[in-house]
Amino acid sequence: MIHSKGLACRYAGGAHIHFLDLTLAQGETLLLRGRSGRGKSSWLALVAGLMTPSGGEVTVAGQALAALGPAQADAWRARTVGFLPQRLHLSEALTVAGNLELVYFAAGLSVDREAMAAALQALGVSELAARRPATLSGGQAQRVALARAVLLQPKVILADEPTASLDDVAAHDALTLLQASAQRCGATLVIATHDARVRSALPQARVLDLDAMESVA
């Protein structure tokens, strides 16, 4: 499902990170662990096709990302990858329903309002469809962002620090929702985190420790 080999990323300041090789099967859960600045968000961006690696290759759901042009990558990502960023990036100019509609536009598909309603209902926020993001609580916004991420039944779900700044109860709820959503989709789940609570909640998950990687200037 996800295969990377020789993957590397160079930052604007000159630092160069060489990521460990990885093969992750369909339906597996991976915890991407490491201190801040060790490349967790960059690894997610590379796997989502949002960044171009400085070296190596990555294949996701049978697609070699290097073979995609910018427009192709956008459509592929919208159909294949559910991305839950640390900053949720919900458009304040649109309602919750409008934010979900953007997924269809990005994928070049017709809007399916029944699927939108089902996604919101599955995450317990169906009553929020007409609301604006600015009126939502943090927990509500995260559920809406997750509904957006899984709307097209993605093959891969990527979550960047989903428990950051959450108390224990909210963190447990967030992880439960992520796991349940991945299981409904049959998706591979990757969680980038430095939160020890995530490892405790997901003891069966594989772990890729970015602190063990080589980083050079």
Side-chain angles (χ1 to χ4, degrees), residues 57-174:
E57 59 189 32
V58 59
T59 300
V60 181
Q63 175 64 59
L65 301 194
L68 297 173
Q72 292 173 313
D74 288 344
W76 169 84
R77 186 184 313 109
R79 295 176 185 227
T80 309
V81 178
F83 195 32
L84 187 66
Q86 187 172 356
R87 295 183 178 180
L88 301 177
H89 298 299
L90 296 173
S91 174
E92 299 292 348
L94 300 173
T95 63
V96 165
N99 273 275
L100 267 61
E101 288 175 2
L102 291 177
V103 175
Y104 292 103
F105 299 146
L109 300 172
S110 299
V111 173
D112 185 339
R113 300 195 183 282
E114 289 187 5
M116 286 169 49
L120 292 172
Q121 183 175 15
L123 288 160
V125 287
S126 56
E127 76 282 3
L128 304 179
R131 297 260 298 271
R132 303 271 179 174
T135 70
L136 306 180
S137 69
Q140 289 172 331
Q142 189 170 53
R143 286 171 181 252
V144 169
L146 182 54
R148 180 184 61 185
V150 301
L151 184 58
L152 297 186
Q153 301 289 302
K155 296 179 180 178
V156 177
I157 298 174
L158 307 175
D160 193 0
E161 300 285 4
T163 60
S165 302
L166 298 181
D167 62 28
D168 288 346
V169 173
H172 178 269
D173 289 346

Side-chain angles (χ1 to χ4, degrees), residues 142-214:
Q142 189 170 53
R143 286 171 181 252
V144 169
L146 182 54
R148 180 184 61 185
V150 301
L151 184 58
L152 297 186
Q153 301 289 302
K155 296 179 180 178
V156 177
I157 298 174
L158 307 175
D160 193 0
E161 300 285 4
T163 60
S165 302
L166 298 181
D167 62 28
D168 288 346
V169 173
H172 178 269
D173 289 346
L175 293 171
T176 298
L177 288 170
L178 270 171
Q179 290 182 87
S181 296
Q183 289 170 358
R184 280 197 301 272
C185 299
T188 299
L189 173 62
V190 181
I191 301 174
T193 183
H194 66 275
D195 186 347
R197 296 175 300 178
V198 178
R199 179 57 174 162
S200 297
L202 301 172
Q204 303 304 316
R206 287 180 59 185
V207 176
L208 181 62
D209 186 358
L210 301 194
D211 288 335
M213 299 185 316
E214 177 186 0

